[in-house]
Amino acid sequence: MKSDTEIVVRYAETDQMKVVHHSVYPIWFEAARTDYMEKLGYPYARIEKEGIMLPLARLQCDFREGARYGDTVLVKLSIKKLTPARLEIKYTAHRKSDGALLAEGETLHAWTDHNLKVINLKKLAPELYKLMENEAEK
Amino acid sequence: MKSDTEIVVRYAETDQMKVVHHSVYPIWFEAARTDYMEKLGYPYARIEKEGIMLPLARLQCDFREGARYGDTVLVKLSIKKLTPARLEIKYTAHRKSDGALLAEGETLHAWTDHNLKVINLKKLAPELYKLMENEAEK
Amino acid sequence: MKSDTEIVVRYAETDQMKVVHHSVYPIWFEAARTDYMEKLGYPYARIEKEGIMLPLARLQCDFREGARYGDTVLVKLSIKKLTPARLEIKYTAHRKSDGALLAEGETLHAWTDHNLKVINLKKLAPELYKLMENEAEK
Amino acid sequence: MKSDTEIVVRYAETDQMKVVHHSVYPIWFEAARTDYMEKLGYPYARIEKEGIMLPLARLQCDFREGARYGDTVLVKLSIKKLTPARLEIKYTAHRKSDGALLAEGETLHAWTDHNLKVINLKKLAPELYKLMENEAEK
């Protein structure tokens, strides 16, 4: 599935080092997840309405080059691993103009209910599980 | 009531102009409200647990001088007007080291329930209303 | 000039009231300014490279209805007033799905140099001034 | 060295999951670094004034339990490894009221000049290097 998410750097995202602050990348990764689920036909907003949440258990990110105000950034994601309890996702962020790699990251999520207790996604939302399983196999 | 809230500028709050981004001031004003209600003995977290919310209806802020990384900022607030349906608050932010005025602002809030429908605070939470009324008279 | 900027609500932009936090709207307004200057053919990143900055002197925003995760928001801006020293801009934010008005705001900016000292834009950047003057007249 | 940094959760830091958004932890870690360098007697703002920067090369964080609005959080840091080119730091974030572990993380930084080119800190800022070396040995 085509999953590039195009992000225009916001001025507020820069810091006095004149590059985008590192805390912004997890937000871009999340925007890419939102976009991905939308394109998959099962928006994350719908998932939450069905009582399922996907909190982060782990975040890891390597910063290669600073994104700057004026840049457009392409965030790509791929499903690394899916189990009924967990989801692992990989990301890259590239500068659109020259293709430079800006950052690479991974997130590990738990499938939970609204009280943040871990659930079995395969049982609770078999349609969603099947959809994501197909993606993970790619 | 003594209501100064001391805020150490965070690096992430700066932008490439090397001053704190303007969108941070509403967050500092909010931190000052949290601190104020805590000192008043009726923390805002308790207010929400009792089913009452205080969303913003209007924000206004004048920016006088830029706060910089390395600065400590003092945010003062005072209750401008209280009615059973609304709350108006005034703020100033000064640099601690030299007392320079950085910004002045006002917020207008509605007292609402969890569905963001306006309520009558005087009826629903008379203790809280009384407390704030005393503050507003100062 | 067509100046609608489409913004997909980010999960991180919501707060526990389940709506977008009010401090996010100034960032959306800024994203709309970036987009506007880009469409005008004089990107704000270029303006800064030429030694000109446009810090905020005043912000005012009225919040009508909460934006929610899952919403796409349309931010429109128009130049309210331009002088060689200042720029006033008006904004509206609407929910794309039903056209509901979410917020209306205004910002007042000063044209300054890199030391945040006010300049005369008409003299220092006549081409940019002319471009924006045409916009302000619409 | 005593390096606990006390952080009051800000309302804006929560998301609609009613916990603090994960992107906030890197900002808290950074606030802890600011506090740590201040207590060490060599504020980070001074380091930057001397032409030295400390951009992030890698971030890793494990999220154990959600911080909530109303919580005070204690962030502890310790120097894991120092070389003339790099700095590794470890962090924990605990809820103050009950001591619950909220998150654990690590950051890897490069010592650079203002153009983000790697420098040799031991040669360029021997006093600072010595100070931090003593800390790293603890």
Side-chain angles (χ1 to χ4, degrees):
Chain A
M1 193 186 72
K2 175 76 172 55
S3 70
D4 277 28
T5 300
E6 205 166 307
I7 286 169
V8 177
V9 170
R10 297 175 176 181
Y11 199 92
E13 293 174 334
T14 62
D15 64 26
Q16 68 181 36
M17 229 181 273
K18 292 177 182 273
V19 291
V20 170
H21 192 264
H22 56 269
S23 64
V24 175
Y25 288 79
I27 296 172
W28 288 354
F29 293 168
E30 188 174 69
R33 291 197 296 278
T34 293
D35 195 27
Y36 183 88
M37 296 307 297
E38 178 76 29
K39 287 171 182 165
L40 204 60
Y42 212 116
Y44 185 68
R46 175 182 162 195
I47 296 177
E48 284 210 349
K49 265 174 206 144
E50 292 173 355
I52 297 163
M53 304 192 100
L54 194 57
L56 224 73
R58 167 174 271 212
L59 165 71
Q60 182 258 308
C61 189
D62 287 276
F63 304 93
R64 304 298 185 191
E65 203 172 320
R68 290 179 185 270
Y69 179 70
D71 287 348
T72 297
V73 177
L74 296 177
V75 181
K76 284 174 218 257
L77 73 76
S78 58
I79 306 297
K80 188 182 168 192
K81 196 178 173 191
L82 173 74
T83 74
R86 306 187 114 184
L87 177 63
E88 287 177 58
I89 308 179
K90 295 181 73 169
Y91 312 80
T92 58
H94 289 84
R95 193 187 296 118
K96 194 184 178 189
S97 60
D98 63 358
L101 178 64
L102 304 173
E104 297 176 278
E106 289 191 30
T107 56
L108 167 63
H109 303 257
W111 296 105
T112 75
D113 64 16
H114 272 187
N115 298 317
L116 305 180
K117 299 293 166 192
V118 175
I119 58 160
N120 182 321
L121 187 74
K122 201 172 177 175
K123 285 190 186 166
L124 256 79
E127 183 197 344
L128 172 59
Y129 191 79
K130 186 75 190 159
L131 251 180
M132 302 214 64
E133 210 174 20
N134 291 341
E135 288 295 315
E137 281 164 8
K138 284 174 194 173
Chain B
M1 194 186 72
K2 175 78 173 54
S3 70
D4 277 28
T5 300
E6 203 165 309
I7 286 169
V8 177
V9 170
R10 297 175 176 181
Y11 199 92
E13 293 174 334
T14 62
D15 64 26
Q16 67 181 36
M17 231 182 272
K18 292 177 182 271
V19 292
V20 170
H21 192 265
H22 55 268
S23 65
V24 175
Y25 288 80
I27 296 173
W28 289 352
F29 292 168
E30 189 174 69
R33 291 198 296 277
T34 293
D35 195 27
Y36 182 87
M37 296 307 297
E38 177 77 28
K39 287 171 182 165
L40 203 61
Y42 211 117
Y44 185 68
R46 176 182 161 195
I47 296 177
E48 285 210 348
K49 265 173 207 145
E50 292 173 355
I52 297 163
M53 305 192 99
L54 193 58
L56 224 73
R58 168 174 267 217
L59 165 72
Q60 182 258 309
C61 189
D62 287 276
F63 304 93
R64 304 299 185 190
E65 203 173 320
R68 291 180 185 270
Y69 179 70
D71 287 348
T72 297
V73 176
L74 297 176
V75 181
K76 284 174 219 259
L77 73 75
S78 58
I79 306 298
K80 188 182 167 191
K81 195 178 172 190
L82 173 74
T83 74
R86 305 186 117 184
L87 177 63
E88 286 178 59
I89 308 179
K90 294 181 73 169
Y91 311 81
T92 58
H94 290 83
R95 192 187 297 117
K96 194 184 177 188
S97 60
D98 64 358
L101 177 64
L102 304 173
E104 297 175 279
E106 289 192 29
T107 55
L108 166 63
H109 303 258
W111 296 105
T112 75
D113 64 15
H114 272 186
N115 298 317
L116 304 181
K117 298 292 166 191
V118 175
I119 57 161
N120 182 320
L121 186 73
K122 201 172 176 175
K123 284 189 186 166
L124 257 80
E127 184 198 344
L128 172 59
Y129 190 78
K130 186 75 190 159
L131 251 179
M132 300 213 67
E133 211 175 21
N134 291 341
E135 288 296 316
E137 280 164 9
K138 284 175 193 174
Chain C
M1 193 186 73
K2 174 78 173 54
S3 69
D4 277 29
T5 300
E6 204 166 309
I7 286 169
V8 177
V9 170
R10 297 175 175 181
Y11 199 92
E13 293 174 334
T14 62
D15 64 25
Q16 67 181 35
M17 230 181 273
K18 291 177 182 274
V19 292
V20 170
H21 192 265
H22 55 269
S23 64
V24 174
Y25 288 80
I27 296 173
W28 288 354
F29 292 168
E30 188 174 68
R33 290 197 297 277
T34 293
D35 194 28
Y36 183 88
M37 296 307 296
E38 178 77 29
K39 287 171 182 165
L40 203 61
Y42 212 118
Y44 184 69
R46 176 182 162 195
I47 296 177
E48 285 210 349
K49 265 173 206 146
E50 292 172 356
I52 297 164
M53 304 191 100
L54 193 57
L56 224 73
R58 167 174 270 213
L59 166 70
Q60 181 258 308
C61 189
D62 287 276
F63 304 94
R64 304 299 185 192
E65 203 172 319
R68 291 179 185 271
Y69 179 69
D71 287 348
T72 297
V73 177
L74 297 176
V75 181
K76 282 174 222 259
L77 74 75
S78 58
I79 306 298
K80 188 182 167 190
K81 196 178 173 190
L82 173 74
T83 75
R86 306 188 116 184
L87 177 63
E88 287 177 58
I89 308 179
K90 294 181 74 169
Y91 312 81
T92 57
H94 289 84
R95 192 188 296 119
K96 193 183 178 190
S97 60
D98 63 359
L101 177 63
L102 303 173
E104 297 175 279
E106 289 191 30
T107 55
L108 167 64
H109 303 257
W111 295 106
T112 76
D113 64 15
H114 271 188
N115 298 317
L116 305 180
K117 299 291 166 194
V118 175
I119 57 161
N120 182 321
L121 187 73
K122 201 172 178 176
K123 286 190 185 165
L124 256 79
E127 183 198 343
L128 172 58
Y129 190 78
K130 185 76 190 158
L131 250 180
M132 301 213 65
E133 210 174 21
N134 292 341
E135 289 295 316
E137 280 164 11
K138 284 175 191 172
Chain D
M1 193 187 72
K2 175 77 172 55
S3 69
D4 278 28
T5 300
E6 204 165 308
I7 287 170
V8 177
V9 170
R10 297 175 175 182
Y11 199 92
E13 293 174 334
T14 62
D15 65 25
Q16 67 181 36
M17 231 181 272
K18 291 176 182 273
V19 292
V20 170
H21 192 264
H22 55 269
S23 64
V24 174
Y25 288 80
I27 296 172
W28 289 353
F29 293 168
E30 188 173 69
R33 291 198 296 277
T34 293
D35 194 28
Y36 183 86
M37 296 308 296
E38 177 77 29
K39 287 171 181 165
L40 203 61
Y42 211 117
Y44 185 69
R46 175 182 162 195
I47 296 177
E48 285 210 349
K49 264 173 208 146
E50 293 172 355
I52 297 164
M53 304 192 98
L54 193 58
L56 224 72
R58 168 174 268 215
L59 165 71
Q60 182 257 310
C61 189
D62 287 277
F63 303 94
R64 304 299 185 191
E65 202 172 320
R68 291 179 184 270
Y69 178 70
D71 287 349
T72 298
V73 176
L74 297 176
V75 180
K76 284 174 220 259
L77 73 76
S78 57
I79 306 298
K80 189 182 167 190
K81 196 178 172 189
L82 173 74
T83 75
R86 305 187 117 185
L87 176 64
E88 286 178 59
I89 308 179
K90 295 180 73 170
Y91 312 80
T92 57
H94 289 84
R95 191 187 297 119
K96 193 184 178 189
S97 60
D98 64 358
L101 178 63
L102 303 174
E104 297 175 279
E106 290 192 29
T107 55
L108 167 63
H109 303 257
W111 296 105
T112 77
D113 64 16
H114 271 187
N115 298 318
L116 304 180
K117 298 292 166 193
V118 174
I119 58 160
N120 182 321
L121 187 73
K122 201 173 177 174
K123 285 190 186 165
L124 257 81
E127 183 197 345
L128 173 59
Y129 190 78
K130 186 76 190 159
L131 251 179
M132 301 214 64
E133 210 174 21
N134 291 341
E135 288 295 316
E137 280 163 9
K138 285 174 192 173

